[in-house]
Each structure stands twice: as structure tokens, then as C-alpha cells.
Amino acid sequence: MPTAIAVTSTDLVLPPADPNTPQAAVLPPPETRPLDASVADMQQLLARYGHVVVVCPTAAPTAVEHRLHAVRALLESDRIALVKTDLPPLGAAVLVRQLRQLSGCDFSPGVLASAARLLAHYIYAGAVLGSVSRLDRVPVSLGSHLKGWLPGAHFAVLAGPTPQIVRLGSRSGSGSGAGGEALAGPEFATELLLARGQLQTDWPTTTLVPRWRIPGPVHEAPLPASSPGWWGTGKLVEFAAYLPDLSVLYQLVSSVRRETCHWCGMELIGDRCGFCSAPLPPAGPPPPDPGGRAPGPGPQHGGRTLGPGPQADARTRALGPGARSARAALP
């Protein structure tokens, strides 16, 4: 039985990557749905799928997150995962589609929920903006902020994995930034998805595609309704480069070591449970060898501990002053 992937907005639902990609369940906004109806909707999903992973952008209204927590609390269910993402709207939609693809595989609900943080690091989400004067979700320098008021200024902005802002040349089709700087791209094969707003520019297709060595065709989707608010302007072209192949996504997730959450018992990858958000406890000392004797405190003479001896002290001094605290520095 596949795990249900639910979203808080229709903006997060892209067309399926292939006929086998499951659909996402759209949870209506709180202002259009009473609480008891939202509880009933979630009960139906749990009855049909067993577990539900809800993807909620951090930019979503506070009322949306409050409704999700209220529904989970009223149901007293540990089978609902609330996954938050900092990705911009188009990148978040790509992440949701990747989770939909993986939900049909043999991953447990806990692995699927915690995989969202891993997959987000492989989505290069950004936009070409006509102004950055109102952009507050990506760090903007004072110089870029002032240049954003100049007529005809265009900026290429990367929100993740590493935030970056590059002012384009006098023409938006120029190959790199005004200072020769270029957006850092992925070092693996990707596809590009575009969503066009009010900005007239072909920079993503004429410059970004060859620079990032994107081999396949460029796909387009309608601009999410929340994109102008996220980017601070409606004059934009949003883009996201991502891993499209399900086999690559499967290998990426399955290659990570799996752990068991010490709090709720769900399977997880990474350092935090996707269902209860409990962090993975630090690794303890290795278990003692059952076949050998535990080492004593050191040589003894007349009931008095003499310590490890001068040879051991010499070895420690040869390793440097950090040798004694090396174990404490391990994660």
C-alpha cells in the first residue's frame, strides 16, 4: 500500500512524471473547510493508505499549519507526517512530485517522509527577477538592493541549495552577471522546469540551459499563485533544475543508512524523524567485546594505580595536543 502524499495547495501539484506517478491529495485551506470536515478528510486518507505525508511550505499562512496540527492532535495519530520545506513554490512542487514518484516504491513511510530533506538538496530552485527590492527570503546585499531600483535591471537568483544573487548584464540574455559571476549549477544531469510570470526574458533557456549542461527539453508549467509573494515581485520567470529519473531518485534514497527513531519507532534516514521530528541521538560508545577482558585502569603495584606508563604518554604526545579529545570530537 503506497503512502499518501498530501499538499496544502494546488500550486504544489504538477502533472505526473509518468502514468505510474500517484496523484497528490490536496487539503482545502482552513477558510474554506470547517475543522470537523478536515478531520474527516484526513481519516479517509488514513483508512485508505495507512500513513499520510503532508508537505507544507514554510511560506504557507500560519492558519494552514495550525489546522494541520489541530487535525493531527484531534485524531491522536502517529501516522501523519508534517514535512515543511523552505523551497520556493516551483521547487516545492518539484519536491512533491518526486515524493509522489517514490511513494509507489518499497520505501517505508518513515523513510519517505525523512527523504524530503535529502531530495531538497538536489533541487536547484531560482528565478530571474526584474527587482530584488522586496525579496526577503534570500539574502540580498545593499548594492543589489539599490541596483534593483534601476530601470531595466534583471537579477538571476538561486534560492537553494546555496543562495546566490547575480545581476545580469544590460540585456537579460547576456551570458553571466555584470561582474562576470554566474549561478552555481548542479554537477549532475538534470531537467529544467520553467514557470513564466510578467517578465519577458529567455535567459533561462538561452543561457542557463547550456551553462548547466541540461540535455533534455525544457518543460513549462503555470506560475504558482504564491510565487509573486514569495519572490517579492510579479516580474519573474521561476525555474527549477531537478533529477527526473525515478531509478536515480530510488538509488539516492536507498543509499543512505536507515535508522530507527528512538521516540516513535519509525524508520528514518538522516538525522531527524519525518513523523515526530525527534533528532537522532548521538552515537554511543561501542559495545564491549564479549570474548575478551575489559582493560583495567592500568598497571598496579601494591594496590596503587601507576597509569598507562611513559611509552603511552610518549605516543600521545607524538599525536599532538588533540589526541586525548579526538573521541569527543566525533559526531
Side-chain angles (χ1 to χ4, degrees):
M1 179 183 296
T3 301
I5 305 298
V7 294
T8 57
S9 169
T10 55
D11 285 350
L12 298 176
V13 182
L14 292 173
D18 55 67
N20 297 322
T21 303
Q23 292 293 334
V26 180
L27 304 178
E31 61 270 17
T32 65
R33 195 79 164 163
L35 179 58
D36 57 346
S38 296
V39 172
D41 293 341
M42 187 63 69
Q43 282 180 319
Q44 291 181 359
L45 289 175
L46 290 173
R48 180 177 180 182
Y49 295 98
H51 293 81
V52 180
V53 175
V54 184
V55 181
C56 179
T58 55
T62 306
V64 173
E65 186 176 354
H66 288 174
R67 171 61 61 88
L68 294 175
H69 284 287
V71 168
R72 187 168 64 173
L74 288 173
L75 290 175
E76 297 182 349
S77 175
D78 57 359
R79 295 180 293 147
I80 304 172
L82 304 182
V83 177
K84 302 184 71 174
T85 177
D86 295 324
L87 288 171
L90 191 64
V94 168
L95 173 63
V96 169
R97 185 166 63 181
Q98 290 179 337
L99 291 175
R100 289 162 53 194
Q101 291 177 271
L102 292 171
S103 68
C105 301
D106 56 356
F107 292 122
S108 66
V111 169
L112 190 63
S114 54
R117 295 177 63 199
L118 171 67
L119 297 175
H121 289 289
Y122 292 87
I123 297 176
Y124 283 69
V128 182
L129 306 179
S131 172
V132 293
S133 59
R134 296 183 179 178
L135 178 63
D136 57 2
R137 299 188 181 276
V138 179
V140 181
S141 65
L142 178 60
S144 296
H145 178 80
L146 294 176
K147 292 174 182 176
W149 294 97
L150 298 176
H154 289 172
F155 295 85
V157 183
L158 193 64
T162 302
Q164 186 182 4
I165 296 180
V166 174
R167 186 195 173 200
L168 303 181
S170 57
R171 296 180 302 170
S172 61
S174 59
S176 59
E181 186 182 5
L183 287 185
E187 297 180 356
F188 46 87
T190 61
E191 288 187 1
L192 190 69
L193 180 66
L194 291 183
R196 299 183 182 274
Q198 300 174 9
L199 187 66
Q200 301 297 320
T201 177
D202 292 325
W203 185 86
T205 55
T206 59
T207 301
L208 197 63
V209 167
R211 182 176 294 278
W212 284 4
R213 298 182 176 89
I214 298 176
V218 177
H219 306 280
E220 295 202 19
L223 184 72
S226 56
S227 291
W230 201 99
W231 293 104
T233 177
K235 295 182 178 180
L236 80 158
V237 175
E238 194 170 4
F239 59 82
Y242 60 96
L243 293 167
D245 194 345
L246 176 57
S247 62
V248 177
L249 296 173
Y250 182 89
Q251 183 179 6
L252 177 64
V253 175
S254 60
S255 64
V256 183
R257 178 180 175 178
R258 303 186 189 186
E259 306 281 356
T260 300
C261 178
H262 70 284
W263 184 259
C264 68
M266 297 292 287
E267 227 182 2
L268 64 95
I269 60 174
D271 59 357
R272 187 172 298 275
C273 179
F275 273 80
C276 69
S277 299
L280 191 68
D289 184 4
R293 293 186 304 169
Q300 295 186 355
H301 177 70
R304 182 168 58 90
T305 300
L306 299 179
Q311 291 182 349
D313 286 342
R315 287 194 296 268
T316 301
R317 287 195 298 269
L319 292 175
R324 296 184 184 271
S325 59
R327 182 175 297 276
L330 291 174

